[in-house]
Amino acid sequence: MSKVLIVAEHLGGQLNASTAKCVTAAQALSPDSIDVLVLADDASAVAAEAAKLSGVARVLGVSNAANANGIAQVFAPQVAQLATHYTHVFGPSTTFGKDLMPCVAALLNAPQVSDAMAVEGPRTFKRPIYAGNAIVTVEVPEGVVVVATIRTASFAECARDGNAAVETVSVHAPLPTHTRFVGLAAGSSDRPDLQSAKRVVSGGRGVGSAENFKIVYDFADKIGAAVGASRAAVDAGYVPNEMQVGQTGKIIAPELYIAVGISGAIQHLTGIKDAGTIVAINKDPDSAIFEIADIGLVGDLFQILPELESQL
């Protein structure tokens, strides 16, 4: 008998798409029930959105002023206290989940399955190792809660035609005071979120400079895409690090991925291998990116992008 608790990721009163992907992963267990936990200063709006996720039985809303800023050390004791009623606790393998779930696992004295990409059984999962070059099957021992982060690039979002019950829950776990919220520094953009966008255009070292990145931004705006970058472009100072795609950046799975001036280092390929269609634009025909690209355009990006944009 499996009962799954999913910790919802949200920001600014909006539920992140990663939660819907965690529900899909949980459904692969064929559990008796799937509940979603929303921790916030006022959980009502996000809880109502989570109630629409297909396959969810209940949404547990914990409203507490201490939950206003999503601090992992504050969330973890509350999640751990509620987790005693469940066999599995899932969180997304995003910055949010990677920060929170190890704390939950430690409090439950349980091992964590990180970046689960396939469900093989109630306690058996597949996860990537060696930058995705190998896939290992891991099994969680009996007698402990299964704590896992779900590789969102490996699962589709569940439908949003559900009507789960929303319950207000009080948690009286002692909350630590050694960690406090100081501020949130985040880039603002009207473009789609990089991790949930259906289309992504990324620029690499071949773009040449921060000023030249305008050609990437313009093309992305033309097709309504999010903008990413390779590690080389970030290290060169062309763009901020929150735009980095790859093993040490964001792992994404858009329907369309366009790599502009990116050679295709293994670190970058790890982050995009689950994309639907990969288009590569590079003047070097021997670039590694062409080995995984569905469509390859060999040429000068400063000529190809304006030409594509004019055709669109």
Side-chain angles (χ1 to χ4, degrees), residues 115-135:
D115 231 13
M117 61 184 297
V119 177
E120 298 291 297
R123 309 183 78 83
T124 308
F125 305 86
K126 288 186 180 295
R127 63 176 299 270
I129 58 174
Y130 303 128
N133 287 302
I135 308 300

Side-chain angles (χ1 to χ4, degrees), residues 6 8 15 19 23 35-38 43-60 158-160 162-166:
I6 295 171
L15 187 70
T19 306
V23 173
D35 294 350
V36 173
L37 172 62
V38 178
S44 56
V46 178
E49 195 176 348
K52 298 177 183 178
L53 299 177
S54 180
V56 173
R58 294 187 306 163
V59 177
L60 309 179
C158 68
R160 287 177 168 79
N163 187 26
V166 178

Side-chain angles (χ1 to χ4, degrees), residues 2-3 29 52 58 82 111 122 150 163 170 184 186 193 221 237 248 275 285 307:
S2 298
K3 294 182 65 178
L29 291 165
K52 298 177 183 178
R58 294 187 306 163
L82 291 170
I150 302 301
N163 187 26
S170 296
L184 175 64
D193 174 67
D221 290 342
T248 54
E307 186 175 347

